[in-house]
Amino acid sequence: MNWIEEYRVKRKSQFSTVTIFQTRDPKRLQEFVKSVSQEYAEIYGYIPWRGLMRIRVSKNAMIYEKTGGSSIFSQGARGIEAALDYMDDVFLRGQSILFVIQTHTRSDALTQALRTWMFDDDIYFRNNSICVFTENPEQVLDDETLKYAILIKIPPSTEEERRRILDEIVASFGNKFSYDEKIVKITAGMTLHELESVALESIYRYRKIDERALIKFKYDMIRKAGILDVEEPEFGFEAVGGYEILKEFIIENIINIFSAPEKAQRLGLRPPRGILFFGPPGTGKTLIARAMAKELGLPFLRLRTESIVSMWYGETEKNLARAINLAEEIAPCVVFIDEIDRFGRRGYEHETTRRVFSMLLEWLGDMRRKSIILGTTNKPQHLDDAFIRVGRFDYIIPVLLPDEAARRQILEVHTKVVRKVPMKDVDFEGIVKKTEMFNGAEIEELVLRAARNALRNGRDFVTNEDFEEALASFSINPAEREKVIEEYLSLSEIYCNDSKFLKKLSRSVISRVEALKREID
Ligand SMILES: Nc1ncnc2c1ncn2[C@@H]1O[C@H](COP(=O)(O)OP(=O)(O)OP(=O)(O)O)[C@@H](O)[C@H]1O
Ligand SMILES: [Mg+2]
């Protein structure tokens, strides 16, 4: 059902004269007026800066009339109060009157008027209708008004609409340009107005409807909203050293299913959409999340936990709601929530935090959710049970300290893959042995320190001595780290929800712990 149809049905079934349309597209108001114009005897519009106007629709064009016999029209952008007073009279004398209002700011006068009109029998039975078009209903109207009005969310655009706009643009250039279906897909979440301006800009700039330009625009749009950062990850699993069991698990259970969803569907399965990584700091959880997005070929949206947590008093929820909408608009995508325990902390009593927490929970559990949520935490034991409950996260996966093979590969990654470090006579095996307790981040740091040593010694290649010197500069307490390994191993037994994965993992970790113990003894 399209949103205009939805309006017709709800007008008939709900006793309310006020409808709120949520949209950030200024063209929706026009589209609405054009489609319903036959159903109303008179149409009035209030648009900021232009003021109150009579509207006629003729040959599918909207005509604004500023001269309606009253001085209010000639005064154009006069305040909304006068316009509302005027409409009060219009409603009293006429029937089948449509009044459309576009607004972005809160106004007491508007709230007052809507409240009076909303349950007015007379207005209702005369088939008069008041329609407000706004981007942020919660900001513009108060809760009470919102509760009793008809609320309709207009999608930014459908594929069909985007095709139509693109066809129009192509035709207007005498069919000199073309576009393909991929463009229709990647522009999901754009309003028609946005699509039109960015496609035209791309034509003037690059002489074509350029995919890159459209994607860039879309990402900028999301960044501007301030709650999500969009990244296009540079590296996939090739930049994650080691963790073979983990990578294999992700490929089998997530990536393969995601890239061939029909197979899963035939078995009544949907691709996994919620994954939680936990483990000690610096073990590559964030890195793995990014790499996973790259492997899936999806954009990576990082929820700016820090800005969400620091905003209080209603802002937080509004912003999170906005972020959720945006993410769903551009889905499939990966939404990354770092330190998810900041939201889902057990026993957190602050009201906003609680509400944000329940919004996240609802999103996680939403059957219709199209985005993949990846969360990380160092402290799964602090998470509220509701987060952990079955159905919220498909997989809860530990990322522990790297074993010997992983450390070797992490060294390789940081000297040969993500950066190329010229080396001479470096004893990799020796370093691997001497970094028993290091995490991935520390191994990366070790490479950087070694390179700095080489620079200081006036060389343009790194030697084994540079590494030895760097190794000596780390102070890592083996006994403490061993405790960390054991702690996370037992956390894995509690929280990891895939026993096969856990078994494989434990086997490798336990043999390592035993080897370590022998060494310490
Ligand atoms: N397995 C790995 N392979 C290659 N690099 C790694 C690996 N693990 C960690 N690193 C390096 O360490 C950096 C920090 O790791 P990352 O931020 O992913 O750790 P984390 O587990 O998310 O830590 P925290 O819990 O503190 O957020 C990475 O950007 C990467 O350069
Ligand atoms: Mg991290």
Side-chain angles (χ1 to χ4, degrees), residues 280-287 290 336 338-339 376-378:
T283 48
K285 296 178 292 296
T286 307
L287 177 76
R290 279 207 179 86
F336 179 64
D338 215 0
E339 297 180 51
T376 71
T377 178
N378 298 132

Side-chain angles (χ1 to χ4, degrees), residues 10 19 40 43 47 51 81 126 154 179 190 194 221 240 250 259 300 317 367 375 471 476 514 520:
K10 287 201 168 146
T19 309
Y40 293 93
I43 304 173
I47 290 160
E81 278 151 66
R126 285 165 185 249
I154 309 179
Y179 69 92
M190 282 191 199
E194 286 162 347
M221 199 172 94
V240 180
I250 294 176
S259 46
F300 183 83
E317 292 144 275
M367 288 306 291
L471 273 168
I476 290 169
E514 278 161 5
I520 291 177

Side-chain angles (χ1 to χ4, degrees), residues 305 308-317 320 339-361 382 384 387:
T305 324
I308 289 209
V309 171
S310 66
M311 296 183 271
W312 298 111
Y313 305 115
E315 283 302 301
T316 317
E317 292 144 275
L320 182 61
E339 297 180 51
I340 203 161
D341 45 290
R342 284 175 104 164
F343 294 112
R345 236 169 222 278
R346 203 176 282 173
Y348 229 132
E349 284 309 313
H350 196 291
E351 203 189 334
T352 309
T353 318
R354 252 206 329 268
R355 281 203 300 258
V356 164
F357 171 58
S358 60
M359 267 170 88
L360 272 178
L361 272 186
H382 286 183
D384 196 287
F387 256 143

